[in-house]
Amino acid sequence: MCCRGCQAVAAAIVENGLEAYYSNRTEMPHSGQEVLPQDIRKLALYDHPEIQRSFVIDAGEHAREAVLILEGITCAACVWLNERHLRQLGGVLEVDVNYASHRARVKWDQRQIQLSDILREIQLLGYNAHPYSARQADELRRKRKKTDLQRLAIAGIAAAQVMMLAVALYAGGWYGIEPATQRLLRWFSLILTIPVATYAAVPFYRSAISGLRSGHLNMDVPVALAILSAFGGSVWVTVLGGTQVYFDTIAMFTLFLLATRMLETGAQEKSIESAENLLKLQPAMAMRVRGEQQDYVPVLELVTGDIILAKPGETIAADGEIMEGQSGVNESLLTGESRPVAKTVGSKVIAGSVNQDGPLLVRVTGTGEQTVLAGIVRLVDKAQAEKPRIAQLADRVAAWFTLVILVFAVLVYAGWWYVDNGRAFEVVLSVLVVTCPCALSLAVPAAIAASGSHLIRHGILVMRGNALESLSHVTHVVFDKTGTLSVGEPAIVDIRPAAGASEEDCLRLAASLERNSEHPLAHAFLTRAGRMPLLEVTQPVNHPGQGIQANIDGVLYRLGSAEFAGVDRLPAGGQTGEAGMSAVWLSRDGQSLAEFVLSDPLRPDAAQAIEALVERGIGVSILSGDSIEAVGHAAGRLGIAEWRARQTPESKLAALREWQAAGRVVAMVGDGINDAPVLAGAQVSFAMGTGTDVASQTSDIVLLSSRLADVAVALDTGRSTHTVMRQNLAWAIVYNLIALPFAAMGFVSPWVAALGMSISSLIVVLNALRLR
Amino acid sequence: MTTKTLLFLLGMTSLFILLLVLGVFWAIRSGQFDDLEGPAQRILMDEDDPMLPGNQQKNSADRKPES
């Protein structure tokens, strides 16, 4: 066990007989945490009716229901553990954990158990639970998803039935059929198709109308036109008699389109949900200060201008400006940078960041929807709506195509009217059906949906549709160093004990001191110390920004900067003052004991990932803000010849432009806000999804698992997606060019046309499915 | 005669379609499509695992107390 927290977690798991978790888990979860007394007191606040109002629903006389976001779910075993554990608590009526969105719906009897008990139990398991108040947009999306499913169901059921009847009708057309029977079957098909044309296909009509209003023919105009004209024509034939009905075509066409669009939106929603879960990490309560009075109030009640107190270790509840106090604030949520940012009076803080050292009085400048975090989530929403360029091109082609078809149809009608007016309607319908730009409009979205779901299974999230297309052209990949090629968290790389001291003793002393510290560097010491037994410390005092001191066996030890430890820099120190490398000194009664050198190690899969890229003939380089030594060292170990160190965001962008001017198509892989300009400037940008990096949500592609090897996977998928898109488009165009003259000359009977169109779209979809 | 049979069959079909639509709509509304991954994983977790608390009590007679 690494700490008491883990022990508590294991104890809770074993005590409750949930050992199966250990055999079922497929991924290591984040390490558990200690539940501190003040946390429990804070959790108790969730029982306050005032605070519960925003997220708890009355589900009966004593039953209450709430949705909780679970942090730290990594695999199905976690879901199982949480569900099992909560279900066996007395008073919990229902638990339902959603594997996809990491949200748990809990229903409990408030006479027997309180919400805080449930939250505490989850924390004891090593997960974090946050009550979730549904945003309006979220609610809307859920409703739309349900409506979409219903439309799909209607189209699917109708398509299956109408196709069966169509077989009878086609057979009848071939071998002869009684007119009464034919009429009956047609009427029945008509009734079945009414819900499809009037309910299932509504989204296409809406989109077509809004497209026409804004003055351009979008992809849905031909779709709506095809459905409506085929339906109108078929109704006409059914009522007044004629040779052919197309109800089967309508139902199948609608089903295909709805299904592909559903796949498309499904992938997008997943990314939006994960972004939104981040948003919910803002605490539900804040300590408001009014004169002498301090009390916890729901964040919802905070208004601009309120003063809130953020204690050390607490998450800041709202955007604001510091009035009093100074501290380091961890903004890794936004920047991915795990080192705290120093804040003092007048600095701005953002909701969701964690206050590390000292108490802060903050004047609220924005809450809820107005926070920076909420803005970023909205940005993700917007990015999802973007269409890739090639899809836009297909749209434009389809628009022109429709125009040409419409004109052509009128000409064909006029021509046939002149030659043989009895066949004119039939031929025009054939022309319209056979050339319906279905395959054309499916070509790109089907490929994107298929490759999107392929990538998401690898933990690669495509944020912008454009990215997939650009990926196939990439000739050069540029990496940032800190946090991208390296882990981004400091680790001890060297211990230099003074004469007479042993390395192990010094490490033991340092780790014992750091045990009481929240400082990010402390983690490095504890990790290095591992299972080493630690020493008892007394009177620990934390000096923010300088170091920590404490007594061990009655002797005063200090660990921190050279000045703080009171030592002269060791002569044998070497280059430790460089960025990325930091040194910490340990002293006993002002006498130097050891120097610890901390640095940021390379990711274990970095070398392999770079090799994979080089194998594919893709150039690799590093652009980093780090020191020449640090970057040179990393580049040397990874075998990268082209690297630039000491780069500011501007010079990074300049280097990028230089490479782009030389004709390279550059993909940038970065992690933090300092990479933002380059990420935006590159043709494709990848962001590491390490932990809670909202900034990454603004790039093209997010590597959720932070595996560098995924870059090569994404590039491969991008290439094959591009190939499939081109094949699909080529096929759709060739098919239409061949079918059109035949149909116009009257060689294609409408049912062959319908079959041809269906098969051509089927080929497109199947071809796209190869990507999965 | 055939028309009558056909009418009967079509009537049955409409009945089934109606039931089908009602069933699917009920399933959608009750949230069965909200989570498409969880149930597939959940089936792998044994309900009759002897480690589970409920089963543990059942077996506790022939089980030595731990620690």
Side-chain angles (χ1 to χ4, degrees):
Chain A
M1 298 296 157
C2 57
C3 61
R4 276 203 290 143
C6 293
Q7 207 174 344
V9 172
I13 291 172
V14 176
E15 249 169 52
N16 291 297
L18 300 176
E19 287 103 330
Y21 164 72
Y22 288 113
S23 57
N24 282 335
R25 67 177 174 188
T26 53
E27 229 162 288
M28 296 302 284
H30 299 296
S31 61
Q33 59 206 319
E34 228 166 318
V35 182
L36 303 167
Q38 68 249 38
D39 279 349
I40 291 174
R41 240 184 327 210
K42 222 161 87 190
L43 285 178
L45 287 162
Y46 280 118
D47 296 335
H48 221 273
E50 205 43 24
I51 285 164
Q52 286 197 347
R53 207 181 42 191
S54 62
F55 54 84
V56 173
I57 316 159
D58 286 2
E61 202 186 338
H62 299 287
R64 296 287 180 271
E65 194 179 308
V67 177
L68 309 174
I69 291 182
L70 298 177
E71 245 187 294
I73 299 265
T74 49
C75 68
C78 300
V79 173
W80 174 85
L81 181 63
N82 276 293
E83 248 182 22
R84 267 281 150 216
H85 187 65
L86 292 183
R87 201 167 284 158
Q88 71 194 21
L89 297 174
V92 173
L93 304 173
E94 268 176 45
V95 193
D96 191 15
V97 181
N98 187 321
Y99 182 77
S101 63
H102 297 182
R103 290 172 194 177
R105 205 175 45 78
V106 184
K107 202 165 149 187
W108 69 96
D109 186 333
Q110 64 160 3
R111 286 169 304 179
Q112 291 178 45
I113 195 166
Q114 294 298 319
L115 179 60
S116 61
D117 299 327
I118 297 172
L119 294 176
R120 199 185 59 233
E121 290 296 332
I122 295 174
Q123 273 204 353
L124 278 173
L125 285 177
Y127 301 89
N128 257 334
H130 305 268
Y132 167 84
S133 56
R135 266 206 320 170
Q136 226 174 347
D138 183 60
E139 197 52 38
L140 223 83
R141 205 165 48 236
R142 276 234 322 249
K143 239 182 230 155
R144 204 178 50 213
K145 195 181 166 197
K146 284 196 172 164
T147 323
D148 282 354
L149 270 169
Q150 283 170 0
R151 291 190 206 279
L152 187 70
I154 289 282
I157 292 167
Q161 299 303 323
V162 174
M163 293 281 277
M164 279 205 278
L165 296 174
V167 170
L169 284 173
Y170 286 140
W174 203 257
Y175 298 108
I177 188 169
E178 262 179 66
T181 314
Q182 190 188 43
R183 224 173 20 250
L184 184 66
L185 291 179
R186 281 180 181 180
W187 273 102
F188 198 70
S189 307
L190 169 65
I191 293 165
L192 281 171
T193 317
I194 287 174
V196 178
T198 57
Y199 176 72
V202 168
F204 305 121
Y205 304 155
R206 277 206 198 120
S207 157
I209 288 171
S210 71
L212 284 177
R213 270 209 194 121
S214 61
H216 61 275
L217 289 164
N218 64 8
M219 184 159 71
D220 287 325
V221 174
V223 169
L225 199 76
I227 294 173
L228 284 177
S229 62
F231 187 67
S234 304
V235 171
W236 176 281
V237 168
T238 309
V239 177
L240 298 175
T243 45
Q244 189 59 44
V245 290
Y246 312 101
F247 295 119
D248 54 327
T249 316
I250 299 164
M252 237 185 44
F253 187 23
T254 314
L255 176 67
F256 268 149
L257 284 177
L258 283 175
T260 41
R261 276 186 203 190
M262 189 130 208
L263 281 176
E264 217 183 324
T265 51
Q268 292 173 355
E269 265 168 16
K270 202 167 159 153
S271 62
I272 295 177
E273 264 182 1
S274 55
E276 266 195 354
N277 280 354
L278 283 176
L279 187 64
K280 296 302 177 315
L281 297 184
Q282 292 175 46
M285 284 164 301
M287 176 155 304
R288 187 171 59 190
V289 181
R290 273 192 177 158
E292 289 294 292
Q293 203 186 335
Q294 297 187 343
D295 47 2
Y296 272 111
V297 295
V299 167
L300 285 176
E301 282 185 13
L302 288 179
V303 290
T304 309
D306 274 349
I307 311 280
I308 55 171
L309 176 71
K311 292 182 187 163
E314 263 183 12
T315 307
I316 297 169
D319 284 7
E321 211 182 274
I322 295 177
M323 306 278 293
E324 222 183 285
Q326 51 183 349
S327 170
V329 173
N330 185 340
E331 291 185 342
S332 63
L333 189 70
L334 261 188
T335 60
E337 178 75 59
S338 56
R339 261 178 290 182
V341 185
K343 299 276 180 180
T344 178
V345 176
S347 326
K348 292 205 176 348
V349 290
I350 50 167
S353 58
V354 181
N355 181 16
Q356 305 240 327
D357 305 325
L360 291 175
L361 271 184
V362 178
R363 193 168 56 81
V364 176
T365 56
T367 58
E369 294 283 298
Q370 306 149 11
T371 57
V372 174
L373 210 54
I376 288 170
V377 173
R378 271 200 299 277
L379 213 67
V380 177
D381 270 311
K382 220 175 81 191
Q384 295 297 338
E386 239 177 281
K387 267 187 184 170
R389 274 185 293 271
I390 194 164
Q392 285 166 2
L393 181 76
D395 268 12
R396 268 206 304 281
V397 171
W400 278 105
F401 194 72
T402 332
L403 206 67
V404 171
I405 294 301
L406 288 177
V407 172
F408 194 72
V410 171
L411 289 179
V412 168
Y413 191 78
W416 274 95
W417 186 261
Y418 187 73
V419 177
D420 177 3
N421 67 12
R423 287 193 64 198
F425 182 72
E426 184 198 316
V427 172
V428 169
L429 259 182
S430 295
V431 167
L432 277 179
V433 169
V434 85
T435 59
C436 163
C438 178
L440 195 63
S441 53
L442 275 175
V444 175
I448 287 178
S451 61
S453 72
H454 171 77
L455 287 174
I456 212 158
R457 263 182 301 172
H458 281 81
I460 305 167
L461 208 60
V462 181
M463 306 299 289
R464 286 189 192 73
N466 268 336
L468 272 176
E469 188 200 348
S470 324
L471 268 178
S472 57
H473 304 302
V474 167
T475 58
H476 201 84
V477 179
V478 180
F479 289 92
D480 170 49
K481 192 183 84 70
T482 318
T484 306
L485 285 175
S486 68
V487 179
E489 262 179 30
I492 297 175
V493 289
D494 199 7
I495 302 175
R496 297 167 184 162
S502 91
E503 197 172 289
E504 197 183 328
D505 286 342
C506 291
L507 180 62
R508 191 198 308 276
L509 286 166
S512 306
L513 287 172
E514 287 286 17
R515 188 167 42 172
N516 295 306
S517 171
E518 289 286 311
H519 200 273
L521 288 183
H523 198 66
F525 283 95
L526 293 172
T527 315
R528 179 68 181 255
R531 288 158 178 234
M532 207 180 261
L534 298 181
L535 303 164
E536 192 74 26
V537 298
T538 50
Q539 299 165 8
V541 184
N542 205 348
H543 296 269
Q546 300 178 59
I548 190 164
Q549 69 174 57
N551 284 338
I552 296 174
D553 289 332
V555 188
L556 179 70
Y557 287 88
R558 284 181 159 208
L559 182 69
S561 62
E563 296 76 29
F564 176 74
V567 297
D568 293 331
R569 295 185 171 221
L570 289 179
Q575 301 290 330
T576 50
E578 302 292 347
M581 293 262 235
S582 41
V584 173
W585 278 266
L586 175 70
S587 72
R588 170 165 48 195
D589 278 337
Q591 280 227 309
S592 159
L593 274 182
E595 179 190 12
F596 297 91
V597 181
L598 291 108
S599 164
D600 191 7
L602 289 176
R603 283 180 196 277
D605 66 337
Q608 194 193 336
I610 300 234
E611 202 177 302
L613 289 175
V614 173
E615 251 170 43
R616 286 168 176 76
I618 290 166
V620 181
S621 26
I622 302 180
L623 278 181
S624 173
D626 239 353
S627 66
I628 294 171
E629 285 80 6
V631 180
H633 180 67
R637 277 187 53 194
L638 295 172
I640 299 174
E642 192 176 21
W643 52 271
R644 298 186 188 193
R646 289 219 174 278
Q647 300 282 303
T648 61
E650 292 78 38
S651 56
K652 278 187 180 184
L653 192 61
L656 184 82
R657 292 267 176 265
E658 198 181 297
W659 287 329
Q660 283 173 340
R664 294 177 182 176
V665 180
V666 181
M668 175 77 202
V669 190
D671 72 317
I673 220 138
N674 60 334
D675 297 321
V678 218
L679 287 175
Q683 276 96 339
V684 191
S685 54
F686 288 87
M688 307 304 284
T690 323
T692 48
D693 192 352
V694 182
S696 69
Q697 310 279 11
T698 55
S699 64
D700 292 332
I701 294 168
V702 179
L703 305 176
L704 289 176
S705 51
S706 297
R707 279 194 305 263
L708 284 172
D710 285 346
V711 175
V713 173
L715 286 178
D716 286 349
T717 311
R719 281 185 186 179
S720 48
T721 306
H722 194 70
T723 318
V724 166
M725 276 183 195
R726 291 176 92 166
Q727 285 169 348
N728 276 353
L729 283 176
W731 159 252
I733 289 167
V734 166
Y735 160 80
N736 278 319
L737 286 181
I738 294 172
L740 190 59
F742 278 96
M745 286 190 284
F747 291 143
V748 181
S749 73
W751 73 269
V752 175
L755 204 66
M757 185 223 65
S758 305
I759 288 174
S760 82
S761 358
L762 203 64
I763 287 174
V764 165
V765 173
L766 288 179
N767 191 30
L769 284 179
R770 289 190 305 136
L771 288 170
R772 285 179 69 105
Chain B
M1 170 56 190
T2 40
T3 316
K4 261 188 198 162
T5 321
L6 203 60
L7 267 176
F8 170 74
L9 286 173
L10 289 179
M12 289 295 285
T13 312
S14 351
L15 193 70
F16 279 125
I17 292 173
L18 199 70
L19 287 176
L20 205 61
V21 169
L22 287 178
V24 172
F25 270 46
W26 168 80
I28 293 171
R29 293 218 171 125
S30 65
Q32 294 193 29
F33 288 90
D34 286 357
D35 182 6
L36 297 177
E37 291 161 63
Q41 306 271 357
R42 212 161 282 155
I43 201 165
L44 296 174
M45 312 289 174
D46 287 339
E47 288 293 317
D48 57 352
D49 194 308
M51 297 292 192
L52 286 182
N55 306 325
Q56 210 169 26
Q57 273 152 30
K58 249 184 275 165
N59 306 339
S60 60
D62 43 55
R63 239 182 139 200
K64 275 184 198 167
E66 278 163 305
S67 73

